[in-house]
Amino acid sequence: MMGPRQEAQPALLYEFSLEDHVPQGHLLRSIDRFVDLSGIRAFLADFYSHTGRPSVDPELLIRMLLVGYCFGIRSERRLCEEVHLNLAYRWFCRLDLSDRVPDHSTFSKNRHGRFRDSELLRHLFQTTVARCIEEGLVSGQRMAVDASLIEADANKQNSTPKDDWDAGQIDPADAPRAVREYLDTLDEAAFGAASEVQPKFTSHSDPASQWTAARKGPAFFSYSDNYLIDTDHGVILDVETTRSIRQAEVGSTKTMLTRVKDKFGLIPSWMIADTAYGSGPMLGWLVDRKIDPYIPVIDKAGRPDGTWIRTDFDWDAENGQYICPEGHALKQFRRNYSDPNRGPTGKGTAKYRALKLTCQACPSKPRCCPNADARSITREEHEDARQVARDLAKTDEYVIAMKLRKKVEMLFAYLKRILGLGRLRLRGPCGVNDEFLLAATAQNLRKLAKIFPAPQQLRKT
């Protein structure tokens, strides 16, 4: 028999508990166990006035932002609607059924003001990293670094060729916020000072973004999201925002390693990265700090004519010379200089040469220097560090390191596919940095929730 039509019957009083209506296995229950915002009010105390109307609770705003980034809700307007309707979101944000959800404009006001001035989002991210360390997810022994391009909120139609762009003619007082931030980063190593090469196009709405075709497809404006992770469980230890060029991305590694050392006292034994980080200065910086670089070396010593390359010659560190396969010495200097300025400087590159008479009489000359009177080899300043990386590449640990490197690539795939950060919503270096920090915080919280899920409780009958 068909039952009666279901109709909502208004009641005078309701007995309702959010705690009872949020499933015990909901992701937010597990995340909530690792979110510690007790110190936020004290952290922001100096950025609030002692008079005027009471503000929206900053803890509520942070909890709402975490909901948005954990569940891929990119729009703050939509986030407010979802928190208004979703019981689990209300429970996580400590909102009762009758509590009003803040307006979306409140986020912009706080983000551009006290949140950014106090570096609250960096503090929130580092608090999450500290919790991961406390839970035993980070050993600090093996770390990996990589960068990923994230499309900026800019397009070519609203851009200018580099020849028509002159930053010196911009009045900072009349410029939009993103342009002012661009002017402030002209001397920073992660942006303006990273390279003297100017991009082909400059965006009017976000001039700090980089015009790039690194994906071998249509060019677009982008920023680089740089991750430093611990390979034990793929915990993100640090985040840095840079231009989408190799010099800036590689330089951010030093910044992140230094920051992690100062904040958490972590110094890795292994550093794992791809070939982009295999330059001599980068390898030298790591080796000087007793960090083993499991990084493919950028080596352009190959010769197209098939003759012997530099690695075919043995380096004699004790005597400061190369030894060719025939046993002859290639030296930089063959006499002592009374003037030290004319001798070896120890900086830059050095050229080592064999004697002309020796090469002319050598039976292997066609395989060594068929078109030259004598063989010469150029040695870079950080060649010792490059050789350390080459030797590590021959070990069994290197195979393990290359497998571990995929963990950071998986984090970027998760960031774009699951969390929806394939295109930025905020503009300017500061806005982009806020997005990257919140996304990394969400990824670490979801990692904690996955490894340590909330215990299941039996419902009362």
Side-chain angles (χ1 to χ4, degrees):
M1 180 178 70
M2 183 180 295
R5 185 185 300 273
Q6 181 68 37
E7 294 183 0
Q9 298 293 331
L12 182 62
L13 298 174
Y14 289 95
E15 182 179 353
F16 187 89
S17 172
L18 278 176
E19 182 69 29
D20 296 337
H21 284 76
V22 177
Q24 293 295 320
H26 199 283
L27 176 62
L28 285 178
R29 282 194 179 274
S30 299
I31 290 178
D32 186 64
R33 299 166 56 238
F34 302 103
V35 176
D36 182 13
L37 304 179
S38 58
I40 281 186
R41 299 182 69 88
F43 188 83
L44 293 174
D46 296 337
F47 296 88
Y48 283 88
S49 173
H50 298 289
T51 60
R53 294 191 309 169
S55 67
V56 177
D57 186 1
E59 180 178 342
L60 169 60
L61 298 178
I62 293 298
R63 285 184 174 273
M64 290 181 65
L65 287 173
L66 289 177
V67 167
Y69 279 85
C70 284
F71 291 92
I73 304 175
R74 304 287 297 122
S75 168
E76 289 169 357
R77 289 178 181 267
R78 185 187 162 208
L79 175 62
C80 293
E81 295 175 358
E82 293 290 338
V83 172
H84 175 71
L85 296 173
N86 192 300
L87 296 181
Y89 295 171
R90 278 185 171 270
W91 173 86
F92 181 79
C93 295
R94 307 297 191 263
L95 291 172
D96 201 357
L97 286 178
S98 59
D99 292 334
R100 182 180 178 184
V101 177
D103 188 76
H104 65 88
S105 61
T106 307
F107 292 98
S108 299
K109 184 67 176 178
N110 283 273
R111 184 193 308 111
H112 295 145
R114 55 182 66 95
F115 284 6
R116 191 163 293 169
D117 295 338
S118 64
E119 295 189 353
L120 174 64
L121 300 182
R122 171 71 64 178
H123 170 75
L124 175 66
F125 169 74
Q126 292 177 339
T127 301
T128 307
V129 175
R131 185 59 184 271
C132 293
I133 297 175
E134 180 183 344
E135 296 293 337
L137 301 185
V138 176
S139 67
Q141 296 301 309
R142 297 181 294 191
M143 298 183 187
V145 65
D146 203 356
S148 182
L149 302 183
I150 308 295
E151 186 176 355
D153 185 22
N155 57 67
K156 185 180 178 182
Q157 285 70 29
N158 189 25
S159 64
T160 299
K162 63 178 182 180
D163 296 334
D164 300 335
W165 177 269
D166 185 4
Q169 297 179 354
I170 302 176
D171 185 4
D174 299 333
R177 180 182 292 107
V179 177
R180 295 199 301 269
E181 292 178 6
Y182 161 74
L183 297 175
D184 293 337
T185 58
L186 289 177
D187 296 329
E188 293 186 7
F191 288 94
S195 173
E196 296 180 356
V197 179
Q198 297 299 318
K200 185 176 181 180
F201 294 98
T202 301
S203 171
H204 295 166
S205 58
D206 193 356
S209 60
Q210 178 76 26
W211 178 258
T212 179
R215 291 178 180 172
K216 308 302 181 183
F220 58 97
F221 289 104
S222 71
Y223 285 89
S224 283
D225 188 6
N226 299 269
Y227 275 3
L228 177 68
I229 73 165
D230 184 272
T231 59
D232 288 357
H233 292 87
V235 173
I236 304 171
L237 298 178
D238 204 4
V239 186
E240 185 72 6
T241 305
T242 64
R243 288 174 62 187
S244 297
I245 57 175
R246 187 179 65 85
Q247 297 92 322
E249 295 170 357
V250 173
S252 69
T253 305
K254 302 177 183 179
T255 302
M256 292 189 290
L257 282 172
T258 302
R259 193 155 48 203
V260 166
K261 176 185 176 183
D262 295 340
K263 183 64 179 181
F264 306 110
L266 298 177
I267 304 176
S269 299
W270 292 18
M271 174 52 61
I272 307 169
D274 58 23
T275 311
Y277 298 81
S279 62
M282 184 73 249
L283 296 174
W285 190 88
L286 293 172
V287 171
D288 289 344
R289 286 155 180 78
K290 310 301 181 182
I291 302 174
D292 292 338
Y294 287 88
I295 305 173
V297 179
I298 300 176
D299 197 344
K300 299 180 180 180
R303 308 187 75 174
D305 56 1
T307 55
W308 287 337
I309 61 176
R310 180 170 50 196
T311 55
D312 293 326
F313 293 72
D314 295 328
W315 171 247
D316 182 3
E318 182 178 354
N319 297 312
Q321 62 185 11
Y322 278 100
I323 304 298
C324 76
E326 291 290 344
H328 304 299
L330 285 77
K331 297 182 178 182
Q332 183 182 11
F333 301 99
R334 296 186 179 273
R335 64 185 178 91
N336 296 325
Y337 289 93
S338 58
D339 183 1
N341 293 326
R342 298 182 62 191
T345 61
K347 298 181 180 179
T349 60
K351 181 170 287 189
Y352 294 80
R353 300 176 179 85
L355 290 173
K356 180 179 177 180
L357 294 177
T358 302
C359 288
Q360 292 293 335
C362 181
S364 299
K365 186 177 185 301
R367 299 179 56 193
C368 181
C369 51
N371 300 321
D373 294 335
R375 181 61 188 265
S376 63
I377 293 178
T378 301
R379 182 177 178 85
E380 296 185 4
E381 178 183 359
H382 301 284
E383 189 62 29
D384 291 337
R386 289 157 60 90
Q387 189 59 45
V388 170
R390 292 192 192 99
D391 294 339
L392 290 173
K394 302 175 183 178
T395 62
D396 295 336
E397 289 80 2
Y398 184 81
V399 179
I400 299 174
M402 292 300 101
K403 293 180 180 179
L404 293 175
R405 187 177 66 82
K406 296 180 181 179
K407 289 190 175 184
V408 66
E409 298 176 352
M410 293 169 62
L411 285 170
F412 286 130
Y414 191 92
L415 175 71
K416 296 177 181 180
R417 293 178 178 271
I418 307 301
L419 301 188
L421 195 64
R423 179 184 172 92
L424 295 164
R425 189 177 55 81
L426 304 180
R427 296 173 177 172
C430 294
V432 175
N433 188 58
D434 291 347
E435 290 214 65
F436 289 166
L437 284 171
L438 282 169
T441 302
Q443 287 184 275
N444 281 345
L445 288 173
R446 290 182 68 114
K447 179 78 66 177
L448 285 166
K450 179 181 178 180
I451 298 177
F452 305 107
Q456 300 294 317
Q457 300 178 0
L458 298 177
R459 290 181 176 270
K460 296 180 180 179
T461 58

